[in-house]
Amino acid sequence: MPICKSCEAFDIRSLLFESARQDTQYTGLTDRLYTDTNDYKPPIPFFHQLHDSIVTLKHSAEQGCGLCNLFWVTWIKTLDKPDFTEEWLHKTFQGEVYLGCSGWIASRQGTPYVILTQKTLNGTARTLATFEPFADRDELPCDGFDLLGRSIYEDPASKRCLAVAAKWLDTCLKEHTKCSMQADIEKPMPTRIIHVGDEDTPPKLITTGGRVGTWIALSYCWGGDSVFIHNDSTIADLKAGIPLEKYPRTLGDAILITRALGVKYIWIDALCIKQDSREDWVAEASKMREVYSGAIVTISAANSPSTQSGIFSTRQLGMSKVGVEWKSEGKPAKVYLRSGSELWDHSLQTSALQKRGWTLQEGLLAPRTLSFGQQQMMWECSEHQADEGGRITQPTQEYRSKSFIQQMLRAAYQEVSKKKPTALERLHIRAPRTEEWWKSLNIESPYDKWWEIVEQYMTRSLTKDFDILPALSGLARAFQPILKDEYLAGHWKKDLIPSLMWIRNPRHLTDWSSRFDPTIPSEYLAPSWSWASILGGPSAMSVTWKIRDALVNSTLSVAAVIDVQVVTKGDDPFGQTISGHLKMRGRLFPIKLMPPVWSLNDQFPEEPANLPKLTSFERIVYNSVRAVDVTVYEWYQSHKPHPEQSYGAFEIIRWKKSPGSGLPGSDFLLLESTGNKQDEYRRIGNVSVRKHQLPKEDEVGPDSYAFMVLENQAFEEIEKSKVKKTTVTIV
């Protein structure tokens, strides 16, 4: 496709080299849970003057310049204005049109982007569109190829496309220091595995007997398909071998990928776990950590909502490629531009797979992940992140969880495999202090990372409610050797008090026809003091560290944990719970009245006219449980009435300076009696009270001022209260 003289004069090589030569700057993206490198390259907005106006760009596109047409069509789509005129364009978008380079962070994006800009009348840059420069894999220029993306293959099942994935795996195994340990350690294979066979031999289910080997794991969505599974009626055929063409498309595609990567075995849960045996499912689910952390790579069927939909899908590429000359002294080469958003596979993040609860631990525990999105393949390991389009990124904040988990697994392995000292060595050698390796990742405590992951997990869904803890058990099992702590239904014993003030955001119906989704748990999920006890959306668990830090020197001791225990189903301490209790000693403030529980018929109950007189603190509780979404929602989810039921607010923390506001105050768990035993309660919510420095009423408005006055009165009641400490058991 021909291009105009102005586009011919554009020296894209010089632009990208000039961008790369710039001094790096700090990104400024640093805090307790965030770290980034000092590798920001500032933009170069006015490198090459393309046209003297936006109208001239339009004319060049209309006259047949393929590159100007790409620029024009990409930009005009962003206007979403079909009835524009050239006069309107000239008046609205005044200024010369340039080609330049965006600012970029090398560790995140890998390559700089070309930008179409306009120099406004006051000299500032207006970005019109962004374009990614790329080259064909077989025709890379002799220099600067690390500044370019790569073309993608129209058919993801092609040998050339899958060869890219094989190259990623080979490079990781041979060159990545952080990743090499997993490759060097022979691992016992899962109980059952699929031997993938070849073109002449069908896949077969085999029992491994614990022998060591190399396997791939599959992370995918079942999509409600329960026909092609391992059960009493299919086991004979699976062992004898079923032709690949009879497999559901997603499973069959995964087997083809495994063959292309040169691996003999793949683990697929539907085929390797007996689906009609609860005992086998419980036993194999407890081994999820070993299955995914031991697999040489996990295939993520990110674009597959069901087993029938398949992993491979024809890519919908953008406009025709338009090449510009790469002006180097070596062999002639062409590079191309595509819209900067063309290959940002947002469908990967919003896919059904990424919303599925089980896949979070599958992805994090896997040392390597090969994802198939709608537009391209993506690779992730501890040292490297790349996509088929050529962006190469190092793990930064968005990807740190995987790198952290893999380093944690290595540290746990090294701890276990240490040679125990002899009696003589113990006499002469002082045990070295365990290296806090997570500090190098700017993580103050592994508990911070646990709660960050839990918060991500809460955004996902599960087909079966009772899987809420089993689907996280592999990660919990991985954390335990590092934390050296007791796991308690999603919490940790040494970090229990800071994590008790959780909330769960409500689930809403998809059509928003009611305030909340009225679904409640189908069976017991966890003790009521655990975030896993109710159905809900995400909670701000990642800020638990603020409470933990503040507890060090900003509290008055008001409550203590006497005993805490959790009983799980089967022998897995990280699996499904069947009971649990938390015994605490502290002050329990009686609450004489609670509002009605939320219902579809009475979503916004009016306050009764004959409401008995309440103390200021009781009024705070009543208002919260009647009007605050998260408290109303938990009250609805958790409440189980019985005759002569009693309620109370159990004070767990008294603040000199509370986290965030720095105000004095107290935090309470709202409890209701269970009716089973004396002093046995169930958590139904939480509430906090703070003491404010009152502003002038006209500065905050009458409603906010009245609330501050009420809260101050409630705090004064709490301070002066003669309520004595008692021991309560929360189940």
Side-chain angles (χ1 to χ4, degrees), residues 19 40 67 104 124 141 148 170 186 219 230 259 276 381 393 425 473 535 554 584 612 618 621 640 674:
S19 176
Y40 175 70
L67 206 55
W104 54 293
T124 60
L148 299 169
D170 184 64
E186 288 190 326
S219 179
H230 177 179
R259 291 175 179 175
D276 55 356
C381 62
T393 63
E425 288 173 332
S473 63
L535 306 180
S554 182
M584 299 186 75
E618 288 176 323
V621 171
K640 294 178 178 59
T674 64

Side-chain angles (χ1 to χ4, degrees), residues 671-688:
L671 307 177
E672 68 175 18
S673 60
T674 64
N676 298 325
K677 299 177 183 177
Q678 188 175 1
D679 297 325
E680 183 181 90
Y681 295 89
R682 179 185 304 110
R683 174 187 152 134
I684 53 172
N686 65 48
V687 70
S688 298

Side-chain angles (χ1 to χ4, degrees), residues 524 526-529 580-582 674 680-683 729-731:
Y524 179 89
S528 66
W529 42 264
H581 72 259
L582 168 61
T674 64
E680 183 181 90
Y681 295 89
R682 179 185 304 110
R683 174 187 152 134
T729 299
I730 309 172
V731 296

Side-chain angles (χ1 to χ4, degrees), residues 171-184:
T171 301
C172 178
L173 294 175
K174 292 179 179 178
E175 300 179 13
H176 294 173
T177 304
K178 291 181 181 178
C179 303
S180 61
M181 176 173 290
Q182 197 277 345
D184 294 341

Side-chain angles (χ1 to χ4, degrees), residues 465 517-523 525 534-535 633 636-639:
D465 315 350
D517 180 344
T519 308
I520 60 174
S522 59
E523 60 182 84
L525 301 182
I534 64 172
L535 306 180
Y633 185 75
Y636 163 73
Q637 288 262 318
S638 301
H639 175 56

